[in-house]
Amino acid sequence: MVNEVDSYPTKNSGRIPLCIFFKGARDVFKLDKLGSEIAQIAFPAALALLADPIASLVDTAFIGQIGPVELAAVGVSIAVFNQVSRIAIFPLVSVTTSFVAEEDAVQVVNQEEAQQIGYLEMSQTINNESKELIEEIGIPPSSTILPNSAESGFKPELLDENTDAPNSKHQIRHIPSALSALVIGGILGLIQAILLISAARPILKFMGVKSDSPMLIPAQQYLALRSLGAPAVLLSLAMQGVFRGFKDTTTPLYATVAGDVTNIILDPIFMFFFRLGVSGAAIAHVISQYLISIILLRRLMKHVYLLPPSIKNLQFSRFLTNGFLLLMRVIAVTFCVTLAASMAARQGSTSMAAFQVCLQVWLATSLMADGLAVAGQAILARAFARKDYNLVVATASRVLHLGLVLGLVLSIILGVGLQFAAKIFTKDVNVLHMISIGIPFVAGTQPLNALAFVFDGVCVAIVSIICLFMLSFSHGFFGIWVALTIYMSLRALAGFWRIGTGTGPWNFLWT
């Protein structure tokens, strides 16, 4: 792979790291070894990431048939649930993916070295036995060809696959970070469930849902019931992080699709047949999340030992140290979207209902670029572990170009299609009018969103929060979307700046 990419830019060469943004731009659709690997990881990862947002869109469509108040109430509850979940999810999944990819890469290298040692020892044994046989027979050494010589044709790869040589494809692996992620995910899920169930009403009031608001009761019911699935959500996402570390995005895809199809089937049954309304939507979602967790756990047990040799093998301190930095960034970054939902809720149920539809479409389509980010993260983790900086640069530039193209395509599709698709979610004329105001922002920000998700840049929340307060009060619903556009623009620019200046993990570009 190293031979397929150019040398990475260095300070001594006089080239600026910013040039990696344009490196290999002509090869954006090239299905070479790198392109194929990105596609094999990113495509199922994007489908897996899209499965849940699509299920949420279906939930939104069903709930929208009940009425705008219920649609707005569920929107506030989802914003709260997602804010609390993402505080744990993104650091947990990102750290898990990187740690598992690194440990797996190291184990593969160690197994290859052990395999080579085993072959050499086997060859030496054959050589010694041949010498003893030659001496007994009395054949002159010059007329013999020993099995370990180049002329003998001895090839280790022709050995029987049932020998004792390590075979990583069929071994159950010892990955300490995998079990650590499951334990941490389960604990955080329980804490989240207890927090949201016990404090649902005051949290919703903080979000702008007043005591006399018609949104309060359905929002509280939905939030409390959906919070019962928090442990399953964090456990399933932790396991998805493990599979991503193995560069296996197909297994999470199957599990997520199975769970979300179940959710879509159960939604109308609980909501309309049993007449449970928004509570039925929450119950269907919780059942689907536990189904996803069970499927992933059964599959993971076939690949990883989930019982450590000792407690010391768990890596809680490593997770906490690395996850804390991500945690601070994620709190600030995700808080911007939650604050936007709060501002919309304070303007009434019509604004909140429109914001819920626009936000779900905005996030669902934007998360398609996150599939590229997953592929980039898995390949980069292995490349950094092997110090293959040429592959690092090639991967970063290729994923960036693909993300930009994806964002432009999504922008065109949403700009045209959402005008007609909005009626699927609601029939309310006032809500549809508010949605039409948000459509240009939902469509126009897709390229920025794609770059922001691919980069996952540093915290730019302070400026974004100030913009949200100022613009929402001065320009209402329109101002909220202007502020969110600024927020995503700053995230994308921060990512450009970080790589362009060679800071953080990209400091090797200046060495």
Side-chain angles (χ1 to χ4, degrees), residues 86-88 90-92 94-95 99 316-334 456-460 498 504-505:
R86 286 170 183 163
I87 290 175
F90 281 103
L92 180 61
S94 297
V95 171
F99 285 176
F316 294 139
S317 60
R318 189 183 181 200
F319 268 82
L320 294 175
T321 301
N322 290 272
F324 181 76
L325 299 176
L326 282 173
L327 178 63
M328 294 298 101
R329 184 189 67 192
V330 169
I331 288 175
V333 168
T334 58
D456 197 21
V458 294
C459 175
V460 294
R498 193 177 187 194

Side-chain angles (χ1 to χ4, degrees), residues 425-440:
F425 300 98
T426 181
K427 305 297 183 184
D428 189 280
V429 177
N430 294 325
V431 176
L432 288 172
H433 172 70
M434 297 296 288
I435 291 175
S436 67
I437 296 175
I439 288 176

Side-chain angles (χ1 to χ4, degrees), residues 177-198:
S177 57
L179 178 58
S180 303
L182 293 184
V183 174
I184 294 173
I187 294 173
L188 291 176
L190 289 172
I191 293 173
Q192 178 183 337
I194 295 171
L195 172 65
L196 292 180
I197 292 173
S198 60

Side-chain angles (χ1 to χ4, degrees), residues 439-451:
I439 288 176
F441 295 98
V442 174
T445 55
Q446 289 303 312
L448 292 172
N449 295 356
L451 292 175

Side-chain angles (χ1 to χ4, degrees), residues 159-218:
L159 291 175
D160 190 282
E161 63 180 0
N162 295 322
T163 59
D164 293 332
N167 190 338
S168 60
K169 293 183 180 179
H170 302 285
Q171 286 185 337
I172 298 180
R173 309 167 202 177
H174 289 281
I175 307 291
S177 57
L179 178 58
S180 303
L182 293 184
V183 174
I184 294 173
I187 294 173
L188 291 176
L190 289 172
I191 293 173
Q192 178 183 337
I194 295 171
L195 172 65
L196 292 180
I197 292 173
S198 60
R201 184 177 288 265
I203 291 175
L204 290 171
K205 287 183 179 180
F206 177 78
M207 287 290 293
V209 182
K210 299 178 181 179
S211 301
D212 57 347
S213 172
M215 293 186 289
L216 181 59
I217 294 178

Side-chain angles (χ1 to χ4, degrees), residues 2-343:
V2 176
N3 296 329
E4 296 183 14
V5 294
D6 299 330
S7 299
Y8 59 88
T10 63
K11 186 176 181 179
N12 294 333
S13 66
R15 297 171 65 188
I16 303 174
L18 193 64
C19 70
I20 73 169
F21 298 129
F22 309 101
K23 187 179 180 68
R26 295 179 180 179
D27 299 330
V28 61
F29 297 117
K30 187 177 181 181
L31 283 177
D32 52 6
K33 184 176 180 181
L34 176 60
S36 298
E37 187 173 13
I38 291 174
Q40 290 171 4
I41 300 174
F43 185 68
L47 292 179
L49 291 166
L50 273 175
D52 189 63
I54 289 174
S56 295
L57 282 173
V58 174
D59 282 353
T60 301
F62 280 127
I63 295 168
Q65 305 309 310
I66 301 176
V69 173
E70 287 77 9
L71 181 60
V74 170
V76 177
S77 299
I78 290 176
V80 172
F81 185 87
N82 287 345
Q83 170 64 35
V84 178
S85 297
R86 286 170 183 163
I87 290 175
I89 286 171
F90 281 103
L92 180 61
V93 175
S94 297
V95 171
T96 300
T97 300
S98 297
F99 285 176
V100 171
E102 179 183 348
E103 291 177 14
D104 189 46
V106 171
Q107 285 194 16
V108 169
V109 171
N110 291 339
Q111 288 175 351
E112 290 175 352
E113 291 177 351
Q115 192 171 14
Q116 291 299 323
I117 292 173
Y119 290 150
L120 290 174
E121 291 177 350
M122 185 177 297
S123 176
Q124 187 63 40
T125 300
I126 296 173
N127 184 28
N128 293 335
E129 292 176 352
S130 299
K131 284 183 178 180
E132 294 176 0
L133 181 60
I134 289 168
E135 290 175 357
E136 291 179 3
I137 298 175
I139 300 176
S142 60
S143 63
T144 63
I145 299 178
L146 298 180
N148 65 332
S149 64
E151 294 84 358
S152 66
F154 175 74
K155 296 181 180 180
E157 61 268 24
L158 296 180
L159 291 175
D160 190 282
E161 63 180 0
N162 295 322
T163 59
D164 293 332
N167 190 338
S168 60
K169 293 183 180 179
H170 302 285
Q171 286 185 337
I172 298 180
R173 309 167 202 177
H174 289 281
I175 307 291
S177 57
L179 178 58
S180 303
L182 293 184
V183 174
I184 294 173
I187 294 173
L188 291 176
L190 289 172
I191 293 173
Q192 178 183 337
I194 295 171
L195 172 65
L196 292 180
I197 292 173
S198 60
R201 184 177 288 265
I203 291 175
L204 290 171
K205 287 183 179 180
F206 177 78
M207 287 290 293
V209 182
K210 299 178 181 179
S211 301
D212 57 347
S213 172
M215 293 186 289
L216 181 59
I217 294 178
Q220 185 176 354
Q221 291 174 346
Y222 185 89
L223 181 58
L225 286 171
R226 182 160 176 174
S227 298
L228 293 174
V233 171
L234 269 75
L235 279 173
S236 65
L237 287 168
M239 287 185 281
Q240 288 186 42
V242 175
F243 282 109
R244 291 175 188 176
F246 294 147
K247 295 199 295 186
D248 176 8
T249 51
T250 304
T251 299
L253 170 62
Y254 291 150
T256 305
V257 169
D260 288 337
V261 168
T262 302
N263 182 24
I264 293 171
I265 294 173
L266 293 179
D267 261 343
I269 295 176
F270 285 120
M271 292 175 63
F272 304 117
F273 183 77
F274 292 114
R275 298 182 180 180
L276 295 177
V278 296
S279 297
I283 294 171
H285 196 87
V286 170
I287 293 173
S288 70
Q289 291 301 319
Y290 278 100
L291 177 61
I292 293 172
S293 294
I294 292 171
I295 294 173
L296 288 174
L297 183 60
R298 288 175 61 88
R299 294 290 299 175
L300 187 62
M301 291 173 65
K302 297 180 180 180
H303 298 280
V304 177
Y305 285 111
L306 295 182
L307 293 177
S310 65
I311 300 299
K312 296 180 180 179
N313 289 92
L314 297 177
Q315 302 181 356
F316 294 139
S317 60
R318 189 183 181 200
F319 268 82
L320 294 175
T321 301
N322 290 272
F324 181 76
L325 299 176
L326 282 173
L327 178 63
M328 294 298 101
R329 184 189 67 192
V330 169
I331 288 175
V333 168
T334 58
F335 183 71
C336 294
V337 176
T338 306
L339 180 62
S342 175
M343 294 299 178

